[in-house]
Amino acid sequence: MKKARILEPTPENIKLCAQILKKGGVIAMPTETVYGLAGCAMDPDSLSKIFLTKERPTFDPLIVHVALEKPTLADLMREQVLYPHELSDAAVKKIDALVRKFWPGPLTLVMPKSDLVPDLATSGLDSVAVRMPKHPVARALITELGLPVCAPSANRFGCISPTSAQDVMEELGDKLDVILDGGPCEIGLESTIVRITDDGEAFLLRPGAISKEEIEAVLKSPVKLLPAGYTAGADGAQPAPGMLASHYAPSKKLILLPTPLAQMMTAPQLGRALPKKVGFLAMSGKASDAAITLSEILEVEVVAETLSETGDWTEAGKNFFKALRKLDASDAELLLAEPCLETTGIGFAIADRLKRAASPKN
Ligand code: TXA
Ligand code: MG
């Protein structure tokens, strides 16, 4: 049974939401990337509600969201979420350059944690992930609360991320009281996550709308991809937290096709019988054309969604989770997706999400 109310982001409603957070509760808030399940970052009660509501394992650390007057490292230090004294001058300079360039916006930085941040927020790690969202409603809420806010994507753990208030209602409407409506998310993919190590090396932990190449241009040095076998768990036993092979997954089986539709001559070997109707996620072109072409190749009914008719990657990012959610809600019994072959920019972030969405579930 759905019990949540979707509220317009009026000053009164933002005050009401801040009150809920002050009392240790959680609400859903809009950001420019995806909707977040927000709780007070400094309150363990709020944090445990986040994990319970999402059914998220506590080894997967949260992102601390701040609203700064000026996006500088000095301003961030005033929030007392991080402890930068362990960092070399080189690392401090790099972090400050990224903060000045990309905040507010979809970039999360992993830095040494202050003791004031509860261990629950960081899964016991000695680092903390911080970002300053650009969405005015998120910023108004954090400012009204007067404390940083933890906000994982407002979906059930492992499922499709929400990019509208209605999506949150479908995911968590039975578990929340309030969903603050900030309209559809402008970016539609979660923030890029970068870790700057104590000696100033940069690692890309999660690709997003701010690309590796843009970050390298600011740092004037290479950003490394997550090394295979990277371990960040406190006991060294966990894989990179939150970067599980299966993530963002629809409830229906999703198979990533070996070739783009334009190169498909014969039906691909899928190792299973096809149902009467399949759903198809096209990277570009017209959905209706894709549905006809694939239907002829597979000889079954096809319902299709496209990420961007014109092949625009910004538009594709914005539509990605929305399209996946639509196909999941359709009457297709199996979902197929065109592979995303991009190795740079937003296309690379989509390729990452798509691979995880199609991975066997944990
Ligand atoms: O765009 C976003 O970042 C959205 C919106 C709501 O702001 N939030 C979001 O949060 O994507 P979430 O919880 O779905 O992703 C948090 C991820 C973790 O799964 C993990 O991969 C990484 O951030 N993370 C957090 N703390 C970390 C740490 N100390 N070290 C390494 N990775 C960390
Ligand atoms: Mg998530």
Side-chain angles (χ1 to χ4, degrees):
M1 207 186 58
K2 313 256 187 258
K3 62 164 185 162
R5 284 184 301 154
I6 295 183
L7 297 183
E8 288 301 314
T10 60
E12 298 73 46
N13 286 340
I14 288 173
K15 273 208 177 85
L16 171 84
C17 289
Q19 283 303 329
I20 296 176
L21 300 192
K22 263 181 202 150
K23 289 188 195 136
V26 295
I27 61 117
M29 76 168 183
T31 84
E32 72 279 19
T33 55
V34 298
Y35 272 70
L37 178 60
C40 176
M42 300 311 202
D43 178 357
D45 280 348
S46 239
L47 297 175
S48 54
K49 272 191 203 120
I50 291 179
F51 284 100
L52 281 172
T53 307
K54 282 198 65 156
E55 294 171 45
R56 173 172 171 131
T58 50
F59 65 71
D60 189 0
L62 304 172
I63 295 174
V64 175
H65 295 63
V66 294
L68 308 177
E69 264 173 47
K70 284 195 300 290
T72 62
L73 185 56
D75 241 46
L76 176 59
M77 279 164 62
R78 254 173 250 130
E79 299 288 318
Q80 300 190 305
V81 295
L82 60 127
Y83 181 75
H85 307 287
E86 289 166 12
L87 294 170
S88 64
D89 287 352
V92 166
K93 270 199 191 123
K94 287 191 171 178
I95 291 169
D96 194 48
L98 292 176
V99 165
R100 283 173 194 266
K101 173 77 182 176
F102 296 114
W103 283 13
L107 176 69
T108 295
L109 293 166
V110 175
M111 295 173 281
K113 162 189 177 301
S114 111
D115 288 342
L116 296 177
V117 179
D119 281 340
L120 201 48
T122 61
S123 305
L125 300 175
D126 54 11
S127 59
V128 59
V130 190
R131 99 171 181 95
M132 177 173 173
K134 193 172 180 182
H135 200 295
V137 176
R139 287 165 69 179
L141 177 66
I142 300 165
T143 306
E144 181 67 40
L145 177 65
L147 285 169
V149 156
C150 275
S153 47
N155 51 272
R156 285 163 296 143
F157 183 68
C159 299
I160 304 175
S161 300
T163 57
S164 72
Q166 198 49 50
D167 293 351
V168 180
M169 185 64 103
E170 281 166 28
E171 285 287 327
L172 298 174
D174 54 344
K175 294 185 177 161
L176 288 176
D177 293 326
V178 173
I179 299 167
L180 208 44
D181 191 352
C185 299
E186 191 188 325
I187 291 174
L189 299 171
E190 297 85 350
S191 59
T192 306
I193 306 181
V194 171
R195 172 162 179 231
I196 305 286
T197 61
D198 303 350
D199 47 9
E201 268 199 304
F203 287 96
L204 183 71
L205 304 189
R206 178 172 74 185
I210 294 176
S211 68
K212 178 172 171 285
E213 298 72 33
E214 284 173 276
I215 295 166
E216 286 173 335
V218 171
L219 296 180
K220 301 188 184 71
S221 58
V223 172
K224 295 184 183 165
L225 293 178
L226 198 65
Y230 168 82
T231 56
D235 59 5
Q238 302 294 350
M243 297 304 284
L244 301 173
S246 168
H247 210 143
Y248 319 113
S251 61
K252 288 172 187 163
K253 172 86 187 153
L254 171 69
I255 299 178
L256 212 46
L257 294 174
T259 52
L261 184 58
Q263 293 164 27
M264 210 182 286
M265 297 302 168
T266 53
Q269 297 296 319
L270 298 177
R272 60 165 66 211
L274 286 175
K276 241 176 72 193
K277 191 163 190 176
V278 305
F280 178 61
L281 185 68
M283 293 298 110
S284 60
K286 256 191 152 74
S288 51
D289 292 350
I292 293 169
T293 309
L294 191 65
S295 173
E296 280 164 4
I297 297 175
L298 299 182
E299 297 177 347
V300 295
E301 268 182 78
V302 176
V303 50
E305 290 289 329
T306 187
L307 296 188
S308 164
E309 280 196 10
T310 59
D312 175 81
W313 285 112
T314 303
E315 187 185 22
K318 185 173 176 169
N319 286 333
F320 178 71
F321 286 127
K322 192 166 96 180
L324 206 53
R325 189 175 286 278
K326 258 195 183 164
L327 290 175
D328 205 23
S330 74
D331 55 354
E333 289 162 68
L334 172 71
L335 308 184
L336 305 177
E338 213 166 18
C340 179
L341 306 173
E342 285 291 310
T343 54
T344 59
I346 295 179
F348 181 59
I350 292 176
D352 170 77
R353 305 292 188 287
L354 201 51
K355 237 187 319 181
R356 293 178 202 277
S359 265
K361 293 196 183 158
N362 306 309

